[in-house]
Amino acid sequence: MKCENCTKKECSKKQKNDDKQNAPVDTLSSNDDEEKNEFHKLANAKIFLSDCLACDNCMTSEEGVRVFQQNQKELFRILNLNKKCDVSKHKVLAVSICPQSLPYFAAKFNISVNDAAKRLCGFLKSLGVHYVFDTTIAADFSILESQKEFVQRYCQRNQEEHALPMFASACPGWIRYAERVLTNPVTPHICTAKSPQQIMGSLVKGYFARQQNLSPDKIFHIIVAPCYDKKLEALREDFYAALYNSQDVDCVLTSGEIVQIMEQKNISLTDVTEVAVDSLFGDIKEVDIVRHDGKRSDGYLEHIFKYAAKELFDMDVNEITYKALKNKDFQEVTLEKDGETVLRFAAAYGFRNIQNMVLKLKKGKFLYHFVEVLACPGGCLNGKGQAQTEDGKLDKALLNQMEEMYAAVPVRLPETNVYVQKLYQDWLEGMDSKKVQETLHTRYHAMNQTVNSLDIKW
């Protein structure tokens, strides 16, 4: 047996723990009666091998324990810690919500995306959370840095062997697969811009902590996200500050795990008082939720395509036309100039499409300049932490409703966000500074290849 996304012919962890894996994993036990009472009805760390790439090839045993510990108990542990008399151990509790999670709450409770954001903020603050942020500003930075890097790579394509194609770096499932299984033929092609989750970590533990005169380790930062792979991403060593013994993101909870807390407390989001979402800039509050181009993700393909068309060929592209190839999750976009195709981009969602893409790359038949790669078929909205029924199957009706709601959210170009421009100057010391590279970029490297991924039968 093996899990559906496993990259080995036989998953050794699945074989060893076949019976155990049929039950939820409980790695946390607490002697704190208060914590048990607060959290007694919730299942423990419901993470299965099929939820992410968590097999022996992709995750060490230490990582496995730390991933399984990222559950609702961590939230309640901090909430209970903050009730203790010893204020030296208190933490400022900040929660950042991914924009692809909001349509799930909106669809599930039959409210608008804006209402979902405000009511979710109200619910979290009623628990004892101090700040609730929207991660869209982090995606702004990630897209802007990805745009610049693509144009640089395109201009260096004749000098640098691995300049093109460039692969998007926002999806942690794809990154883990590339580093642990695909390795050297692929990793040099991955964009170095950090994902929105990790840039948000830098914003909260860096900029916001400084504005609040707090040490980073005094903030406990939780991300609410659509998928389980983001739990694994939060553990990366390059997102850890040794000086403060602090991860940029301390814990990731899926949208579904937040709903579990509501169910345990017999609370519906429709009954919660609306509270405006916080911003990173003091008393200023977020007004309305916005999104980026792209109906199922943060829209890297569309933003980079339009930017590159203008910067490289002085062409304004207002609308993008997708051409579906083998299936709806593998689509391409091209730019024509003087009868010649000058840009060819693709969106590859799901591991079968990723596998086909890598086969073409290794055979030297790869035509694309950029690929937006996402591990989940259907994109981020279809993350396994939210768009599933109780028996683990895709909830198609819910997903369709989520897609409609997400598409209705107004689009804001990253370039038009005045706070991003302010942060570039005040926090990052300019658009092209050394601090930008240190704060907004990382490097992806090959790790422990133990199987030829091209031999896998999908």
Side-chain angles (χ1 to χ4, degrees):
M1 292 180 68
K2 62 177 181 177
C3 41
E4 62 188 85
N5 289 334
C6 187
T7 53
K8 299 173 71 176
K9 291 181 179 179
E10 284 296 327
C11 178
S12 55
K13 181 179 285 188
K14 189 75 174 178
Q15 287 177 321
K16 294 173 189 174
N17 302 302
D18 187 41
D19 293 331
K20 294 180 182 179
Q21 287 294 343
N22 289 327
V25 178
D26 182 4
T27 60
L28 285 184
S29 59
S30 172
N31 295 320
D32 192 326
D33 290 337
E34 182 180 7
E35 183 176 331
K36 284 185 177 180
N37 291 336
E38 188 77 48
F39 200 67
H40 66 285
K41 292 182 183 178
L42 281 170
N44 293 314
K46 283 189 174 179
I47 304 174
F48 301 93
L49 286 178
S50 59
D51 288 327
C52 62
L53 296 181
C55 70
D56 282 345
N57 251 17
C58 298
M59 187 163 65
T60 66
S61 57
E62 180 185 356
E63 286 174 330
V65 171
R66 293 174 67 193
V67 164
F68 294 142
Q69 286 177 340
Q70 292 186 57
N71 61 18
Q72 302 102 321
K73 281 189 175 180
E74 277 294 273
L75 168 60
F76 281 93
R77 182 180 69 81
I78 300 300
L79 290 172
N80 289 322
L81 193 67
N82 286 345
K83 296 175 184 177
K84 305 289 186 182
C85 295
D86 188 355
V87 295
S88 67
K89 295 183 179 179
H90 287 192
K91 301 274 189 178
V92 173
L93 189 49
V95 175
S96 299
I97 304 170
C98 296
Q100 291 81 22
S101 287
L102 291 174
Y104 168 73
F105 293 100
K108 190 168 184 65
F109 294 99
N110 198 27
I111 55 180
S112 71
V113 171
N114 271 324
D115 284 349
K118 294 173 184 177
R119 292 180 189 275
L120 184 56
C121 179
F123 171 71
L124 292 168
K125 290 197 171 186
S126 74
L127 296 178
V129 172
H130 299 102
Y131 298 97
V132 178
F133 301 118
D134 170 22
T135 67
T136 301
I137 189 171
D140 286 341
F141 276 111
S142 185
I143 289 169
L144 290 172
E145 292 302 307
S146 298
Q147 289 177 172
K148 290 191 297 183
E149 182 171 333
F150 175 78
V151 169
Q152 292 169 358
R153 283 175 177 254
Y154 188 92
C155 293
Q156 297 168 357
R157 67 192 186 282
N158 295 324
Q159 291 79 40
E160 296 283 342
E161 179 185 359
H162 300 294
L164 294 178
M166 185 176 93
F167 297 131
S169 56
C171 174
W174 150 244
I175 294 298
R176 175 60 59 131
Y177 179 63
E179 287 188 319
R180 295 295 175 96
V181 180
L182 303 177
T183 66
N184 289 319
V186 172
T187 50
H189 294 279
I190 298 174
C191 177
T192 65
K194 287 183 181 179
S195 73
Q197 170 172 300
Q198 296 311 136
I199 289 178
M200 195 68 196
S202 297
L203 283 164
V204 171
K205 293 288 187 92
Y207 175 80
F208 182 73
R210 189 181 69 185
Q211 296 301 109
Q212 300 294 318
N213 293 315
L214 291 168
S215 172
D217 60 310
K218 287 297 182 182
I219 298 177
F220 193 86
H221 184 206
I222 295 175
I223 294 281
V224 176
C227 77
Y228 289 94
D229 285 329
K230 291 184 179 294
K231 294 175 185 278
L232 204 53
E233 180 185 31
L235 303 179
R236 291 183 66 93
E237 292 181 1
D238 42 341
F239 304 143
Y240 169 76
L243 179 63
Y244 301 101
N245 188 27
S246 175
Q247 292 287 146
D248 291 344
V249 175
D250 296 290
C251 179
V252 175
L253 297 178
T254 66
S255 316
E257 287 174 317
I258 297 296
V259 168
Q260 283 182 345
I261 298 174
M262 295 178 188
E263 292 172 346
Q264 186 262 339
K265 292 181 171 292
N266 294 318
I267 292 176
S268 170
L269 210 56
T270 56
D271 299 327
V272 177
T273 302
E274 293 185 4
V275 176
V277 176
D278 299 298
S279 81
L280 297 163
F281 309 96
D283 295 331
I284 300 171
K285 299 292 184 180
E286 296 285 356
V287 181
D288 289 320
I289 297 298
V290 296
R291 67 174 177 89
H292 299 107
D293 277 331
K295 295 180 180 179
R296 296 181 289 175
S297 67
D298 273 317
Y300 284 80
L301 184 151
E302 297 203 14
H303 286 283
I304 295 173
F305 187 85
K306 292 176 181 179
Y307 179 82
K310 183 64 176 176
E311 290 293 311
L312 297 171
F313 305 104
D314 196 27
M315 296 177 67
D316 294 308
V317 177
N318 297 317
E319 294 292 330
I320 286 181
T321 301
Y322 286 90
K323 178 184 177 183
L325 299 178
K326 290 188 175 182
N327 53 68
K328 67 176 183 178
D329 279 333
F330 194 89
Q331 302 185 67
E332 74 172 17
V333 177
T334 58
L335 180 70
E336 310 288 333
K337 185 174 184 179
D338 300 329
E340 178 186 359
T341 300
V342 291
L343 285 180
R344 191 184 297 271
F345 282 25
Y349 299 169
F351 279 92
R352 286 173 177 80
N353 288 322
I354 293 172
Q355 197 73 10
N356 289 331
M357 175 190 79
V358 173
L359 277 169
K360 291 181 180 179
L361 178 68
K362 291 189 173 183
K363 290 179 179 179
K365 298 179 180 180
F366 204 80
L367 303 176
Y368 300 105
H369 299 109
F370 172 82
V371 184
E372 181 183 83
V373 189
L374 297 175
C376 291
C380 297
L381 289 176
N382 190 28
K384 288 197 172 185
Q386 61 183 27
Q388 298 214 331
T389 59
E390 290 184 1
D391 59 358
K393 295 180 180 179
L394 171 64
D395 190 333
K396 293 182 179 180
L398 180 64
L399 181 59
N400 290 337
Q401 192 177 357
M402 289 163 57
E403 289 177 345
E404 290 177 6
M405 288 181 158
Y406 190 66
V409 174
V411 172
R412 183 187 67 194
L413 296 177
E415 294 89 342
T416 64
N417 188 338
V418 294
Y419 294 112
V420 167
Q421 304 307 320
K422 176 179 171 61
L423 284 167
Y424 267 119
Q425 300 307 317
D426 298 347
W427 177 46
L428 297 171
E429 302 169 2
M431 296 281 289
D432 300 308
S433 67
K434 181 180 178 181
K435 192 171 182 181
V436 165
Q437 289 298 315
E438 293 172 347
T439 307
L440 303 183
H441 290 260
T442 188
R443 286 283 178 184
Y444 300 101
H445 306 284
M447 300 179 186
N448 302 327
Q449 185 176 20
T450 59
V451 65
N452 182 353
S453 62
L454 299 183
D455 289 338
I456 302 164
K457 304 301 180 184
W458 293 88

